[in-house]
Amino acid sequence: MCSSDLAIPALFARRAMVWAVESARPEGGVDRALLVGYATMTYATMALFVSMFSSTSDVMTVDSSAVIRAMVVFGVVASLVIVRRTDIELSHWAIDAIRPGLAAGMALYAAGGILTGIALIVHFSQVRAVNGLMAPDVVDGVFLTALGAAYVPTAATWAMSYLLGAAVHVGAGVISVHESAPGQLPAFPLLAMLQSDVPRFAAVLLLVPITLGAVTALALPRAHWRPTSPSIAEAVAGVVRLHEVRDVVIATIGACAVTGAFAVVGSGPLGREQLAMMGPEPLDVVIATAQLVGGSMLALVLVPRMLLAVLFAISHRQS
């Protein structure tokens, strides 16, 4: 669940997939898909054995959860390697639509990192106090501080989910912009940043993904449009252009893929009771991304044109 530790398995996955591509030299979409599938299942099987033999009675990983997360990590890396190492040609309209969506997802994660930094500054005294209680010695304190720093990327994923309005589970407790009931927290310094009540400005944070969606919509390719019919029905009907809606859908999928991937690797069960579920539910994050980011993109594409079409029709009727 420590997102910063992904560098090692991601590097391993990339090297393994590069070797597989150079050895197999796949031709055609079916061969590429089979290569990615076989390699992903092999990596997931290794993750399953590691999960089975590394769990203890106090701290453990759920085998199915380990397999799913391993498949996500290796599948993403393998797909990127396949695209870069083979002669796959993507349509220009697909590239122009997916890039802003991927950028929006990364921007959401960056916003989560900024929120994490702000929370760490505000609650630094509490974090330092917990760190001192758990590791009073200098050497232990250094190691615990390094462990906490390694979990900062995971905290950024939780903060990203918070910005999206998706609930962050901490054992039996839950924290979101709508409610805050963390319950009894495990002893870990970074968890001291979690608040027991909902801040007054919490709902305002939802404007972050909405604004990113609007900015993403402006980055999508759009054809020139102007109202031409005095009929309201015809004018409104001409607002919807299927290729623009298609681009919005593709960009939304890209943003959901990024936030969902971060949620998958930044959450999961680590044991029983207080460690039963740590982090956001990936499906909740994907749905929230589609609603806020995708919804604001679609609204910025359609709503202004609809208003202009109605005003154009009304003004021509009056004249």
Side-chain angles (χ1 to χ4, degrees):
M1 196 185 68
C2 183
S3 299
S4 60
D5 292 340
L6 280 177
I8 297 175
L11 180 61
F12 169 80
R14 181 184 177 277
R15 295 298 301 173
M17 199 60 198
V18 168
W19 174 82
V21 171
E22 292 178 350
S23 301
R25 298 187 182 278
E27 296 180 1
V30 176
D31 290 343
R32 297 186 184 101
L34 288 175
L35 181 60
V36 172
Y38 289 145
T40 301
M41 293 306 299
T42 302
Y43 186 81
T45 303
M46 296 171 57
L48 175 61
F49 281 109
V50 171
S51 175
M52 291 172 60
F53 293 105
S54 63
S55 298
T56 66
S57 57
D58 296 322
V59 179
M60 66 185 66
T61 57
V62 178
D63 295 339
S64 59
S65 177
V67 169
I68 292 174
R69 282 158 175 77
M71 291 178 65
V72 170
V73 172
F74 196 95
V76 170
V77 175
S79 300
L80 292 176
V81 171
I82 282 287
V83 171
R84 293 180 64 88
R85 292 277 174 167
T86 58
D87 56 350
I88 294 179
E89 294 184 1
L90 299 176
S91 302
H92 291 292
W93 58 263
I95 296 176
D96 293 339
I98 196 69
R99 281 179 177 172
L102 296 175
M106 293 302 300
L108 279 171
Y109 181 73
I114 295 174
L115 183 61
T116 300
I118 295 174
L120 185 60
I121 293 173
V122 173
H123 301 282
F124 181 75
S125 59
Q126 294 94 315
V127 173
R128 184 178 181 181
V130 174
N131 194 89
L133 290 174
M134 293 183 63
D137 297 334
V138 176
V139 176
D140 294 339
V142 171
F143 279 105
L144 187 59
T145 302
L147 180 62
Y151 272 90
V152 168
T154 300
T157 299
W158 293 15
M160 176 194 71
S161 304
Y162 191 85
L163 290 172
L164 288 166
V168 178
H169 300 273
V170 187
V174 62
I175 297 175
S176 71
V177 296
H178 309 292
E179 61 176 325
S180 183
Q184 187 177 2
L185 299 175
F188 192 70
L190 283 182
L191 295 179
M193 296 188 300
L194 302 179
Q195 294 188 344
S196 58
D197 55 351
V198 179
R200 296 180 180 179
F201 59 85
V204 180
L205 296 176
L206 295 176
L207 292 176
V208 173
I210 293 175
T211 303
L212 283 174
V215 173
T216 305
L218 296 176
L220 293 175
R222 298 170 63 183
H224 179 71
W225 177 90
R226 58 179 299 178
T228 57
S229 175
S231 172
I232 294 180
E234 293 180 0
V236 172
V239 165
V240 180
R241 294 181 175 179
L242 293 181
H243 69 277
E244 293 181 344
V245 176
R246 175 202 62 195
D247 292 344
V248 169
V249 172
I250 293 175
T252 302
I253 293 174
C256 290
V258 173
T259 57
F262 277 119
V264 167
V265 300
S267 65
L270 289 178
R272 300 185 179 92
E273 297 178 359
Q274 296 183 16
L275 300 176
M277 178 58 187
M278 303 293 290
E281 290 285 352
L283 182 59
D284 294 342
V285 173
V286 170
I287 293 174
T289 304
Q291 290 176 338
L292 297 180
V293 178
S296 61
M297 278 194 284
L298 190 61
L300 190 63
V301 170
L302 298 181
V303 172
R305 290 180 179 178
M306 288 184 177
L307 293 176
L308 289 175
V310 171
L311 292 176
F312 180 83
I314 292 176
S315 62
H316 278 69
R317 281 188 177 184
Q318 291 177 350
S319 60

